[in-house]
Amino acid sequence: MADRKLFAHSRSSAGVRHSLEDHLRGSAALAGRFGEVFGCGELAAYLALIHDVGKGTCAWQDRLVAVECEGGGRVGVGHKHAGTFLADKYTKLPFGAVVFGHHGGMPDMEQLKDELVRAMAGGDEAQRVAEAIRAVEAVVPEIHPDPRPALPTWLGAPSGQGRLGLDLLVRMLFSCVVDADFLDTAAHFGCAGVRLRESVDMTALVERYEVRRAKLLAGREPSPVDALRQRVYEQACVAASGKPGVYVLHVPTGGAKTMAAGAFALRHAAANGMGRVILAVPFISITEQNAAVYRRLLDPDSSSPEEAVVLEHHSAVDLDSEERLKGLTDEQREELQSRAHTARLAAENWDAPFVVTTTVRLFESLFSHKPSQMRRLHRLAGSVIVLDEVQALPDRLLIPILSVLRGLVDHFGVTVVLASATQPSFWRLPAWEGLERRNIVDDPSGLFEALRRVDYAWRTGDDVSLESIAAEVAAYEQVLTVVNTTKDAARFHRHLDEHVAHGAEVLHLSTRMTAGHRREVIAEIKELLGNGQPVQVVSTSLIEAGVDLDFPRVYRAWAPAESLQQAAGRCNRDGRLHRGTVVIFQPSDGKQPRSTSYEAALNASGAHFGPGRSAPDDLEALERYYPLRYTLQQGTPDSGLGAEIEYLRHLLNFPEVDRSFQMIEDALSAPVVVIRQEADREAIESAIAQLRDFEHPCGPEVLRSLQPHTASLPRGEAEAALRSGLATPITGDLLLWEGGYHPQRGLDPDAPEDRSAFNY
């Protein structure tokens, strides 16, 4: 092989093969650039330099040519072991996971050790490893580095989080390598140079933000709380000059948190030489809403050739789902897997200065072991991460979430901002013990008192039901009722429809409606409220986080304290009344989500809030509520709240961490595409056809086009719908709904069609 040209990839559209030397050096240069942001450029570059060394064997090279002659396809000859062997020899064994997993995903340490034994003398891969290294070292002698790549000094320090720090470092290096590999490969097949965005001038973005914010506010109707909102904004601007760390933005609902968070993040990034702002929110509906606000404030004018500033990144569809829907035949399942394999999204790598995403996308990427999800992680280094509505982070995963956030802050130059009206007591948990807390607002208690705009009333007792509350609600012209489940929302809507005056608008919101339908309803609600017209709304909790609505009266079914306070944030939001009214009721026939975390939150809420106890916006009571809530879920200090995932991280068991860390539990829901309007049919069916065409994989824009037409069903109902023919599979866990759709309630759980079809 001494005089043989080595290749990494087959011919591009220009008829040129990708030389292995060029690919290794190109990937190394990119990975080094990415890793330099967190002080590990040399190590990242080396791991990228060796990731495809295994392609140097005659068997791999011959098969590449053969496959090319056959019209394309996978080479099918393994090439992981040579680079893994070199990673172990010149760095540390755990970094071998970066090389071994750069296609299929990072292995656990036991598997990695076994594979390394296969690569060593006497192992069944030893001959191929030696052959590949001999061939590649002739053109890339740096695969034998002298000196060895430097490891970060903090790795062995007492403050380095030990194995947890190593776990996070391996993940970040893996991200650097797989993104570099992807970009260099794409550049070859695209016959163009690697496209990387130039660093943005954060100071210029701050100036644009200020100018456009002033213009935006000038066009709004003044509100009695504008002065307090301005005070919050000014304090955020002042706090932004501080050093990186963990900041708390504790602002009551209606306190213009979105504006203040953006201003802090941009100014803080500019002050500290940081390159990116990442805003993560718990629900796609808020993602879309916030992205629209920030685009208006930050994106260039339509006539400008400048690239967009704001990247909105989310998806309700899991194309990598290993837990397929039940109820399928073997033939259906095989076809579905084939489609999913070729239709996976080409994951965006967050190469933008301002990213708006979901907390699901952020944290499931951080705890994944798959290249497609982890490719963007290195973009977190040197960034400001704003966690909006932070109270929505799931208790069952708090320990690993807080641990990884601390690791990012301590070792990767990250600032974390916790933004919410209901701030959890994270510093009461061991993961954040000793971590400095920096408040953006000087006096949250004073601010909450100044922005107190509601009085609470309570409805309890055996005679309280969904129907009795609906009869009471029907007497008010503008009123919002929030219940706990989609079934309760549909049933309350029926009750309310029966009691209201003829012709009154009774609107419904839940995830059983498509995203586009929900947006239309929210827009209609805003218009009716703005015009002073009657409007009665029933919704699930999706309306509580970030949806800017202002009702004079709100009813909220009994729920955890933070949900009660969030619902109150939709009442007298702009302070135009002396006091709005929030009625909290406990319906005897109402349902509650079923989970250990939710039950603990309800029990802790009952201990501190209610008739004769504190109101949900009492900050001192909330400070007592959260520790009790956490204690109720911990058997011992080493159990509960996701402690078992921390143990898996200690073991560097990347696949098992991935399987265990589920922000949205797979068993709960499935995304369903609905053709709600005939005018949309052609476009939807075209997109579905592209997703089902596994011979011609499509890009992420196809899935994005379906997002407005996607609703959600409980997993059990989705499986039953598949069996009954009310739904058919598209790809991954995405379904096409073939049944009816209620014009107000969407996929109505009590519709006669559903009752007869869903036979378990």
Side-chain angles (χ1 to χ4, degrees):
M1 295 257 319
D3 57 350
R4 182 176 182 178
K5 178 81 170 178
L6 301 177
F7 297 103
H9 300 108
S10 58
R11 297 182 191 278
S12 66
S13 56
V16 178
R17 290 197 186 111
H18 198 187
S19 89
L20 183 56
E21 178 184 359
D22 287 348
H23 179 52
L24 295 182
R25 293 191 186 280
S27 298
L30 287 168
R33 177 174 171 177
F34 300 151
E36 196 58 47
V37 178
F38 53 92
C40 291
E42 183 183 4
L43 183 55
Y46 179 68
L47 293 173
L49 188 72
I50 62 174
H51 81 283
D52 269 354
V53 167
K55 291 183 177 181
T57 62
C58 289
W60 199 94
Q61 293 292 316
D62 291 343
R63 184 60 187 152
L64 176 69
V65 175
V67 166
E68 194 176 76
C69 295
E70 294 165 3
R74 295 180 67 246
V75 171
V77 176
H79 66 278
K80 302 174 181 179
H81 290 83
T84 304
F85 175 86
L86 291 169
D88 175 62
K89 182 176 181 179
Y90 293 110
T91 62
K92 284 181 175 290
L93 173 63
F95 300 124
V98 172
V99 177
F100 192 84
H102 73 273
H103 284 307
M106 289 194 294
D108 62 67
M109 285 301 102
E110 291 307 310
Q111 180 190 354
L112 188 63
K113 290 175 184 176
D114 290 344
E115 298 294 346
L116 186 61
V117 169
R118 296 178 63 200
M120 291 178 168
D124 58 1
E125 288 286 339
Q127 185 176 343
R128 283 181 288 273
V129 165
E131 178 192 353
I133 290 174
R134 282 195 304 271
V136 176
E137 68 188 3
V139 290
V140 188
E142 303 96 300
I143 64 171
H144 301 293
D146 186 18
R148 299 183 179 197
L151 303 182
T153 55
W154 57 261
L155 197 56
S159 61
Q161 290 187 292
R163 296 279 281 190
L164 295 178
L166 179 59
D167 167 270
L168 184 54
L169 178 61
V170 172
R171 293 174 183 278
M172 294 294 273
L173 290 167
F174 183 71
S175 172
C176 292
V177 171
V178 296
D179 193 24
D181 181 22
F182 181 95
L183 290 169
D184 190 72
T185 302
H188 162 68
F189 284 110
C191 303
V194 172
R195 183 187 176 280
L196 286 178
R197 186 167 183 147
E198 293 298 321
S199 297
V200 70
D201 184 346
M202 282 291 179
T203 302
L205 288 185
V206 170
E207 293 172 359
R208 181 185 292 175
Y209 192 88
E210 289 296 329
V211 169
R212 292 191 179 173
R213 173 180 175 269
K215 184 178 180 180
L216 184 64
L217 294 180
R220 286 184 174 178
E221 185 181 348
S223 161
V225 298
D226 281 348
L228 287 169
R229 290 170 174 169
Q230 181 62 24
R231 192 174 93 194
V232 169
Y233 188 84
E234 290 172 357
Q235 289 189 27
C237 292
V238 170
S241 61
K243 62 183 181 179
V246 178
Y247 287 79
V248 173
L249 180 57
H250 195 181
V251 179
T253 53
K257 172 168 53 68
T258 299
M259 291 279 196
F264 173 89
L266 289 167
R267 288 174 176 269
H268 186 74
N272 290 281
M274 305 166 90
R276 186 169 289 99
V277 173
I278 296 167
L279 178 83
V281 297
F283 307 115
I284 288 176
S285 57
I286 318 174
T287 311
E288 295 165 339
Q289 175 181 287
N290 287 357
V293 171
Y294 289 126
R295 272 196 293 266
R296 190 171 176 183
L297 292 167
L298 290 170
D299 271 355
D301 297 328
S302 57
S303 59
S304 171
E306 182 185 342
E307 288 185 88
V309 171
V310 178
L311 167 69
E312 183 180 356
H313 183 213
H314 56 74
S315 173
V317 183
D318 179 11
L319 289 170
D320 285 316
S321 175
E322 295 178 7
E323 296 295 326
R324 301 294 178 188
L325 287 171
K326 300 175 184 177
L328 300 179
T329 66
D330 290 342
E331 185 177 336
Q332 285 176 317
R333 188 175 293 109
E334 184 177 347
E335 182 183 358
L336 199 60
Q337 289 171 339
S338 296
R339 292 180 198 153
H341 177 74
T342 54
R344 288 190 183 96
L345 288 172
E348 287 89 341
N349 66 351
W350 288 357
D351 190 9
F354 201 106
V355 179
V356 183
T357 188
T358 59
T359 48
V360 171
R361 177 68 59 189
L362 173 65
F363 287 110
E364 289 199 342
S365 297
L366 268 163
F367 291 96
S368 178
H369 80 298
K370 295 290 186 65
S372 60
Q373 289 184 306
M374 298 180 70
R375 184 184 154 202
R376 66 190 69 96
L377 288 190
H378 67 89
R379 300 290 182 185
L380 300 181
S383 71
V384 182
I385 300 175
V386 180
L387 298 177
D388 198 9
E389 305 297 353
V390 69
Q391 80 284 347
L393 291 176
D395 287 5
R396 58 189 170 77
L397 300 174
L398 271 185
I399 288 178
I401 284 174
L402 296 181
S403 173
V404 81
L405 288 174
R406 182 165 193 164
L408 289 171
V409 170
D410 286 348
H411 307 304
F412 294 90
V414 171
T415 283
V416 172
V417 180
L418 309 179
S420 177
T422 48
Q423 287 287 341
S425 304
F426 291 155
W427 277 266
R428 300 289 189 94
L429 294 171
W432 276 16
E433 186 178 356
L435 183 64
E436 184 180 357
R437 169 179 173 149
R438 300 182 173 95
N439 290 321
I440 292 175
V441 174
D442 295 337
D443 180 18
S445 296
L447 184 63
F448 271 74
E449 187 59 40
L451 277 173
R452 190 178 301 279
R453 292 152 295 172
V454 305
D455 291 322
Y456 290 91
W458 301 83
R459 303 282 189 272
T460 59
D462 294 339
D463 59 336
V464 177
S465 67
L466 292 174
E467 186 169 11
S468 71
I469 295 297
E472 179 179 334
V473 166
Y476 298 93
E477 287 196 339
Q478 291 188 335
V479 61
L480 167 67
T481 303
V482 184
V483 294
N484 291 313
T485 69
T486 60
K487 287 191 175 182
D488 279 3
R491 289 163 188 172
F492 192 92
H493 184 266
R494 276 192 171 84
H495 291 316
L496 190 55
D497 220 10
E498 293 168 359
H499 285 92
V500 296
H502 180 70
E505 285 285 354
V506 181
L507 301 178
H508 170 278
L509 284 168
S510 86
T511 53
R512 287 177 179 266
M513 301 156 61
T514 66
H517 190 184
R518 296 198 302 268
R519 280 199 295 270
E520 291 170 16
V521 172
I522 290 171
E524 184 179 358
I525 294 168
K526 288 183 177 180
E527 182 177 359
L528 291 168
L529 288 172
N531 294 334
Q533 295 176 262
V535 56
Q536 293 161 319
V537 181
V538 57
S539 176
T540 58
S541 60
L542 69 82
I543 204 168
E544 292 175 348
V547 181
D548 188 4
L549 297 173
D550 189 355
F551 288 86
R553 193 173 185 89
V554 169
Y555 285 73
R556 182 48 166 109
W558 174 248
E562 68 277 8
S563 292
L564 304 180
Q565 189 179 350
Q566 290 292 334
R570 310 316 122 190
C571 183
N572 195 24
R573 189 176 182 87
D574 289 327
R576 302 190 191 282
L577 304 173
H578 172 64
R579 283 283 197 272
T581 300
V582 176
V583 179
I584 298 170
F585 63 99
Q586 291 183 276
S588 57
D589 56 344
K591 305 299 182 185
Q592 297 280 5
R594 287 176 292 181
S595 74
T596 301
S597 298
Y598 197 88
E599 184 178 350
L602 281 180
N603 290 337
S605 296
H608 292 290
F609 305 98
R613 299 187 179 91
S614 298
D617 56 5
D618 185 320
L619 297 191
E620 291 184 3
L622 282 167
E623 276 294 313
R624 297 190 298 272
Y625 154 74
Y626 276 108
L628 174 59
R629 170 174 161 171
Y630 299 151
T631 299
L632 290 173
Q633 297 173 71
Q634 291 179 286
T636 68
D638 296 324
S639 69
L641 305 181
E644 67 283 358
I645 297 175
E646 284 295 86
Y647 175 68
L648 294 171
R649 290 184 64 211
H650 274 284
L651 299 177
L652 303 182
N653 191 335
F654 301 106
E656 198 57 40
V657 167
D658 191 349
R659 283 189 285 271
S660 300
F661 190 96
Q662 298 292 324
M663 288 282 283
I664 298 177
E665 293 174 290
D666 288 339
L668 296 183
S669 63
V672 181
V673 174
V674 179
I675 302 177
R676 182 168 67 96
Q677 297 173 333
E678 197 59 32
D680 297 323
R681 178 176 295 277
E682 185 177 350
I684 294 173
E685 289 181 343
S686 173
I688 290 172
Q690 290 182 70
L691 288 171
R692 285 175 167 168
D693 182 2
F694 54 85
E695 292 185 0
H696 301 90
C698 56
E701 67 281 349
V702 178
L703 275 174
R704 288 202 193 97
S705 73
L706 291 176
Q707 186 62 52
H709 310 289
T710 302
S712 180
L713 271 183
R715 182 70 61 168
E717 289 188 26
E719 292 168 356
L722 273 171
R723 292 194 295 271
S724 67
L726 280 176
T728 54
I730 299 174
T731 188
D733 62 350
L734 183 64
L735 305 179
L736 173 64
W737 184 251
E738 306 281 7
Y741 186 90
H742 191 277
Q744 290 176 298
R745 295 187 286 270
L747 303 176
D748 191 336
D750 293 321
E753 176 184 39
D754 292 345
R755 284 203 303 272
S756 63
F758 292 171
N759 297 317
Y760 289 86

